Amino acid sequence: MEKAVEQAVGRVIEAMRDNLGEPLTIDDMARTAMFSKFHFSRIFQRVTGVSPGRFLSAMRLHEAKRLLVSTSLSVTDISHRVGYNSVGTFSSRFRNSVGVPPSTYRQLGGFTHRGLADQRRRPPRQSSAVVSGRVDAAVADGHGLIFVGLFAEPVPQGQPVRSTVLHRPGEYTLEDVPPGTWYLLAHSLAANVEDAVRGAFDDTRTLCVGHMGPIQVRPDTATVTADLSLRPIEALDPSVVNALLGIQAVALTVGAA
C-alpha cells in the first residue's frame, strides 16, 4: 500500500511540474492521485512533509528563479509561466520568500548576498541554544562544500535562521539558535560559483540533501543534537534548492576562507 501511495503522490508531482502555468486545485490533484480530496491531502503531507499547495508554490518559485537567471523573459511573462495571473501577487510572494524582488534577484545574478557572513557578526541572544551533530554521506567524495542551515518551515524558503558550511561530511555546529520550531537542512554545493548556479537549476545534475524536523528549541534548551545523512534528491522531496541559490555566493566565500 505504501508503494502505491508514493506512486500516487509521484504522479501528482509530475503533473505539477508539467503544468506550472496552469491553475491546479486540490480536486485536480486528488483526481490525478485517484484518492478522495481529504485523503489525498493527508497522504501527500505524510509522504512529502508539506501540503500540496506549499509543494506547488515551492516548485513555481524554483522555476521562476531559473527563468530569471537563465532567460531574458520579462517578470510579467515569468509570473504567467509559473501560474500567477497577477504580476503584483507574484512579485510580493517572491520577495517574501527570497528577500528581494524578482527584478533585483535577476540583477544580482541569483545571489541575495545575505546569510552566512552576517550571522557570524550577530551578538548572542540572552536565550539561545547550540544545535550540533554530524553530516554523513554514502560517498565521501564529490560533494564539494556542504551547506547546513536551520529554517522556519519545512520548505526552506528565504534565509536560514542559522547556517554554516562544511568542506566535507563531518561535524557541524550552529550557535546562538533562538527559541522556536526549526527544520534542519544539509545540501551539497558545487565548489565554485558557476557550477553552483548551473547545478541548482539543472535536473540532470545529482544534488544531495538531508533534512530533519521539526526541532524544538525552548527558552531553557542549551543543546540539541541532530545528525543528518546526505542522499541524492528525489522527486518526492520539496524543492529544497529554493533557499540555497541566494546564499551560495556567501557560502562559497565562507567555505574558501
Side-chain angles (χ1 to χ4, degrees):
M1 179 61 180
E2 190 63 29
K3 185 66 173 178
V5 166
E6 290 187 0
Q7 290 175 343
V9 171
R11 288 197 301 272
V12 174
I13 292 172
E14 189 64 29
M16 291 178 181
R17 184 175 293 110
D18 293 340
N19 298 278
L20 288 178
E22 303 299 325
L24 288 175
T25 67
I26 292 294
D27 288 326
D28 295 330
M29 298 178 196
R31 281 193 294 270
T32 299
M34 294 183 288
F35 284 103
S36 72
K37 177 171 65 174
F38 302 105
H39 186 49
F40 163 70
S41 295
R42 288 195 298 270
I43 66 169
F44 191 99
Q45 177 125 10
R46 175 164 59 85
V47 170
T48 66
V50 296
S51 69
R54 294 300 304 280
F55 198 106
L56 177 58
S57 177
M59 292 183 73
R60 283 173 166 163
L61 284 173
H62 179 56
E63 176 64 5
K65 284 184 171 185
R66 186 188 71 81
L67 293 172
L68 284 167
V69 299
S70 64
T71 75
S72 59
L73 291 170
S74 70
V75 172
T76 299
D77 287 340
I78 290 173
S79 70
H80 293 158
R81 286 201 178 199
V82 297
Y84 288 88
N85 293 325
S86 165
V87 66
T89 300
F90 165 71
S91 297
S92 176
R93 292 186 180 177
F94 190 97
R95 180 168 187 164
N96 288 340
S97 172
V98 181
V100 295
S103 57
T104 303
Y105 183 85
R106 167 175 275 168
Q107 292 168 4
L108 295 174
F111 300 116
T112 59
H113 300 283
R114 296 189 304 165
L116 294 167
D118 291 340
Q119 290 174 32
R120 292 190 167 191
R121 293 192 293 269
R122 290 178 180 172
R125 297 170 182 256
Q126 291 184 346
S127 177
S128 63
V130 173
V131 176
S132 62
R134 183 175 180 84
V135 177
D136 290 318
V139 179
D141 297 327
H143 292 289
L145 300 174
I146 298 173
F147 164 83
V148 182
L150 282 174
F151 292 85
E153 299 180 9
V155 176
Q157 299 177 357
Q159 300 297 316
V161 64
R162 293 293 181 268
S163 54
T164 190
V165 172
L166 307 179
H167 288 270
R168 61 188 63 82
E171 304 291 335
Y172 75 91
T173 300
L174 300 174
E175 299 180 344
D176 188 28
V177 177
T181 301
W182 310 111
Y183 295 84
L184 183 67
L185 170 73
H187 190 292
S188 59
L189 301 174
N192 59 71
V193 173
E194 290 76 14
D195 284 347
V197 174
R198 186 165 56 249
F201 294 121
D202 185 351
D203 291 337
T204 66
R205 299 168 68 92
T206 300
L207 304 173
C208 290
V209 300
H211 43 82
M212 174 185 295
I215 295 173
Q216 299 289 341
V217 176
R218 296 180 173 84
D220 60 348
T221 300
T223 61
V224 176
T225 300
D227 296 331
L228 290 175
S229 294
L230 288 176
R231 57 170 176 77
I233 193 170
E234 300 172 351
L236 298 180
D237 289 314
S239 296
V240 295
V241 294
N242 277 4
L244 300 181
L245 187 59
I247 62 172
Q248 284 202 17
V250 179
L252 293 168
T253 300
V254 174

